[in-house]
Amino acid sequence: MDQIEELMQKSIELGKAIAQSDIYKDFKKAEYDLFQDAEARKLVEDLQKMKNEHRGKLMAGIEVTKEEEEKIQELEKTCIKNRQVLASNQANTNFQEFMEQISGNIKNGIKSIDK
């Protein structure tokens, strides 16, 4: 096995180990629970739609009104008040931080050889 194939194999093994971690399992369960809760799912979908529209306006050079900004902020507050949305958001944050740590460790490993 050449070096590239070996690295690809190790990355697959890392992916499998990540999938077996409690952080990943909690993330997937929270995601599943969110989509099973119709109210929570609608809140998240509405917020995503509103943010996408907001982003589209900004990209097109169209100014977003203060009222539109406030509407997004209010919907964000409403989302966070929903127990399931909050749990999903926290699980997602935990998983993203975990993945950033892994990425950081890979970078540190590379830097240790570059010295």
Side-chain angles (χ1 to χ4, degrees):
M1 179 181 311
D2 74 0
Q3 189 180 33
I4 299 293
E5 288 176 0
E6 183 179 344
L7 289 170
M8 290 300 125
Q9 187 57 42
K10 285 182 179 183
S11 68
I12 290 170
E13 290 169 17
L14 176 60
K16 288 178 181 179
I18 290 168
Q20 293 173 358
S21 72
D22 288 339
I23 289 175
Y24 180 76
K25 289 176 184 176
D26 291 347
F27 165 68
K28 292 306 285 182
K29 182 181 183 325
E31 182 181 63
Y32 176 81
D33 291 347
L34 176 73
F35 287 110
Q36 296 305 307
D37 182 327
E39 178 186 347
R41 185 179 64 242
K42 178 156 179 24
L43 283 170
V44 170
E45 288 171 351
D46 289 350
L47 181 60
Q48 287 176 339
K49 180 181 177 189
M50 199 177 292
K51 284 186 172 185
N52 285 338
E53 290 171 358
H54 180 120
R55 199 174 302 117
K57 283 185 173 185
L58 292 175
M59 289 175 65
I62 300 170
E63 189 174 328
V64 177
T65 67
K66 185 175 179 175
E67 182 181 285
E68 290 170 323
E69 288 279 356
E70 289 171 354
K71 199 172 179 182
I72 287 176
Q73 290 173 356
E74 185 160 327
L75 187 52
E76 285 174 335
K77 288 177 186 176
T78 302
C79 283
I80 296 302
K81 288 178 185 176
N82 181 286
R83 182 186 55 83
Q84 192 56 57
V85 174
L86 183 60
S88 179
N89 187 54
Q90 186 59 53
N92 183 51
T93 298
N94 292 344
F95 181 66
Q96 292 305 316
E97 289 173 355
F98 177 60
M99 294 303 292
E100 287 173 14
Q101 288 174 337
I102 289 171
S103 181
N105 286 343
I106 291 169
K107 288 176 186 175
N108 288 338
I110 292 169
K111 286 179 185 176
S112 73
I113 300 299
D114 280 347
K115 290 182 179 178

